[in-house]
Amino acid sequence: MLRICLVMVAGLAVTLLAAGPAAAEKVEVKGPHICCKLCVKVVGGILGKVDGVSDAACDIQAKTIAFTAKDKATVKAALKALTDGGFFGSATCDDKDVKIDVPAVKKGDKADKVAVQNVHVCCGMCQTAIKGIFKDATVTFTDPKGPQRTVRIEGTGLDRGEVIEALRKAGFNGSVEK
């Protein structure tokens, strides 16, 4: 009887060891605005607060963020944290495209002043990049709270949807004030 129990326990142990831990999710975000070591530090701080994220790394030259997530829910939480932190890009998980959930902004809503809150603007290079997106407008940065700012764009007939789309295309994210 003892031998049977030992054989069963040994068999169970081999089965559990062969199964190993659950596969970790390898995530890459391409295209976020990362221009300096402070941007890298901000990304690290954001992802460091998401339970289940490890091995976070940024490549300034390639404009990528890579990390490992313990499961799909962690992938979703980490991507939300990055977009809430003012970053945007296209994401893959284990080389499969992942949809990043951000609110759509309807195009056609025109204004001469558009404000976008919670945009990642940690340094002068971030400011220069955003000003370069809106060359024909006046761009100001207000409401400092850490590395996020409100970006105010003033021009003629600005389309709110096109403003946020242009920021996202350049690797930034935020929420348009109404």
Side-chain angles (χ1 to χ4, degrees):
M1 183 70 166
L2 180 59
R3 283 186 181 170
I4 293 173
C5 286
L6 288 175
V7 169
M8 289 175 58
V9 169
L12 180 60
V14 168
T15 301
L16 291 174
L17 289 173
E25 311 288 335
K26 301 289 185 188
V27 181
E28 183 178 52
V29 181
K30 294 180 182 176
H33 179 85
I34 304 171
C35 63
C36 67
K37 290 181 181 180
L38 186 53
C39 293
V40 171
K41 183 178 177 182
V42 171
V43 168
I46 289 169
L47 292 176
K49 294 177 184 174
V50 180
D51 186 42
V53 168
S54 61
D55 304 322
C58 296
D59 185 327
I60 294 172
Q61 298 301 318
K63 303 283 188 214
T64 60
I65 300 168
F67 59 91
T68 303
K70 69 178 180 180
D71 54 28
K72 299 284 187 203
T74 303
V75 172
K76 186 175 180 178
L79 294 175
K80 180 172 181 357
L82 286 169
T83 58
D84 288 352
F87 293 93
F88 193 79
S90 61
T92 57
C93 178
D94 294 328
D95 297 320
K96 295 177 185 164
D97 290 341
V98 176
K99 182 180 183 310
I100 296 180
D101 292 324
V102 288
V105 179
K106 186 177 112 182
K107 289 186 180 180
D109 184 9
K110 303 274 184 171
D112 290 339
K113 295 180 184 178
V114 177
V116 184
Q117 298 175 313
N118 301 319
V119 179
H120 168 79
V121 186
C122 72
C123 68
M125 289 188 289
C126 292
Q127 290 181 3
T128 299
I130 292 171
K131 286 180 179 181
I133 298 168
F134 306 105
K135 293 177 185 165
D136 297 330
T138 301
V139 179
T140 56
F141 305 92
T142 60
D143 305 327
K145 60 173 188 177
Q148 294 177 310
R149 305 281 185 268
T150 296
V151 178
R152 298 186 187 285
I153 303 111
E154 295 184 39
T156 305
L158 298 168
D159 185 303
R160 293 179 200 280
E162 290 176 4
V163 165
I164 193 69
E165 188 175 273
L167 284 168
R168 288 177 179 161
K169 185 176 180 181
F172 297 97
N173 191 49
S175 57
V176 177
E177 288 182 354
K178 291 288 177 173

